Amino acid sequence: DPACGSGAYLVGMLHELVDLSTLIYNPQLRLEPRSLYEHKLNIIQNNLYGVDIDPFAVNIAMLRMWLSLAVDHEVDDIADVQPLPNLNFRIQNGDSLTAPNPQEIPDLFRARATIVADELVQLKVAFMREPGDRKMTLRTQIEKKQAELTGALRYAIASPGALDWRIAFAEVFANPEPESSGFDIVLANPPYVRADERPELLDYRAELRNSNIYETLYEKWDLYVAFLERGFQLLQQGGVLYYIISDAYTAAKYAKKSHEFFIENAVIRRVDFVHDIQLF
């Protein structure tokens, strides 16, 4: 979720994946709280990623993940209590939009990242489950590997606070097969911000428009238009994008280029209109 806020979609996807996997592989898992706890932890560790520009929201998203784990963590002895996982590299604070297109990966970076990504996976798993003093050592090692990847890029990120998806989630994008680089599913309820709604964002909007990262920013585009294209950039070939957006998208002039982009580059599977539901 590139605009995860307080983590509602991430928690929802956690429950979806638990339901599907237990149905397919082990229907009895729901009857075993300790096994279910570990199963949830594995899904968080291997499947869920979130980013938000608001650090407070990121902390709330982590808390919701922890609560979702704790509700299934039954113990007979206080010694069996497990420490909460470290989610810093799963749910990250940063600007989802201002970094380069994550699919634009130089060959030199891809070759190096394929090697480093495997090491990063091991370090991140160890960090996530480490309760003691070694946690800071693992964090330093992860950041060192990420700095190594940054050095393999031909240019640095100019925008302060930008989250470079290629670095932050190298295990997702550093695939030797370009068509397998990216996420299987990107889902979000991105922010809706009209061009005339937040004057303080004029410079930010100009930065996005002039960055050459996006093809769909047209006329007085709403901010969710950029999030739509960014979400598409985050997908691997055959991936699924699922967003809640304003129904103004169907008719607004600013959506013209976005319509053309998705008709040309994607397969539209489904559009739901929910005028009769109090969605928010």
Side-chain angles (χ1 to χ4, degrees):
D1 186 341
C4 70
S6 60
Y9 274 21
L10 295 176
V11 173
M13 183 58 82
L14 171 63
H15 292 305
E16 286 289 327
L17 291 172
V18 167
D19 289 343
L20 287 170
S21 56
T22 53
L23 179 66
I24 294 170
Y25 299 113
N26 187 356
Q28 298 302 313
L29 197 60
R30 281 202 169 279
L31 304 178
E32 304 165 3
R34 293 189 187 185
S35 298
L36 182 54
Y37 171 87
E38 185 65 27
H39 188 51
K40 280 187 174 181
L41 190 58
N42 284 332
I43 289 174
I44 294 171
Q45 174 182 298
N46 296 304
N47 300 102
L48 299 178
Y49 297 83
V51 177
D52 201 273
I53 200 168
D54 182 350
F56 180 76
V58 168
N59 287 332
I60 296 298
M62 291 183 186
L63 176 61
R64 291 179 78 163
M65 285 289 193
W66 289 327
L67 291 174
S68 182
L69 282 169
V71 73
D72 295 310
H73 188 40
E74 297 182 6
V75 294
D76 299 322
D77 190 289
I78 192 65
D80 294 332
V81 174
Q82 297 296 314
L84 295 172
N86 305 307
L87 301 177
N88 303 71
F89 293 103
R90 310 303 300 180
I91 306 173
Q92 298 205 35
N93 175 223
D95 189 324
S96 290
L97 299 178
T98 48
N101 183 338
Q103 297 296 350
E104 293 181 357
I105 301 180
D107 291 339
L108 175 63
F109 174 82
R110 189 181 296 279
R112 184 63 190 146
T114 301
I115 299 171
V116 174
D118 289 337
E119 300 170 357
L120 272 171
V121 168
Q122 301 302 319
L123 288 170
K124 287 182 177 181
V125 169
F127 174 82
M128 182 176 168
R129 294 173 177 255
E130 174 57 52
D133 296 337
R134 185 169 172 261
K135 178 170 60 177
M136 295 309 299
T137 300
L138 289 167
R139 186 183 188 117
T140 300
Q141 291 175 336
I142 292 170
E143 291 171 347
K144 184 177 179 180
K145 290 293 181 184
Q146 291 178 332
E148 184 179 336
L149 289 179
T150 301
L153 290 171
R154 295 176 183 173
Y155 52 90
I157 301 171
S159 178
L163 181 128
D164 193 326
W165 297 80
R166 302 167 298 182
I167 304 297
F169 304 125
E171 64 272 23
V172 176
F173 291 94
N175 196 300
E177 303 296 331
E179 63 273 12
S180 299
S181 175
F183 294 98
D184 298 295
I185 299 171
V186 175
L187 73 169
N189 172 28
Y192 313 160
V193 184
R194 300 191 312 269
D196 58 353
E197 187 175 323
R198 300 273 295 277
E200 69 273 20
L201 293 181
L202 286 176
D203 290 343
Y204 179 76
R205 293 173 62 86
E207 178 187 356
L208 290 180
R209 187 179 60 248
N210 298 329
S211 67
N212 296 318
I213 299 172
Y214 301 99
E215 301 177 32
T216 60
L217 307 186
Y218 179 64
E219 293 283 341
K220 296 182 179 181
W221 46 277
D222 194 295
L223 193 60
Y224 70 76
V225 172
F227 269 97
L228 274 169
E229 189 172 348
R230 173 59 94 198
F232 187 75
Q233 294 170 354
L234 293 172
L235 290 174
Q236 65 171 262
Q237 186 173 315
V240 176
L241 180 72
Y242 200 100
Y243 273 24
I244 295 177
I245 59 172
S246 169
D247 59 5
Y249 181 77
T250 60
K253 186 179 180 181
Y254 65 69
K256 178 177 181 290
K257 286 190 177 181
S258 185
H259 291 176
E260 294 170 350
F261 176 86
F262 283 104
I263 288 171
E264 181 178 345
N265 294 288
V267 176
I268 311 301
R269 296 292 188 190
R270 176 172 170 172
V271 179
D272 290 324
F273 295 92
V274 289
H275 301 290
D276 56 338
I277 299 175
Q278 293 298 314
L279 191 60
F280 297 105

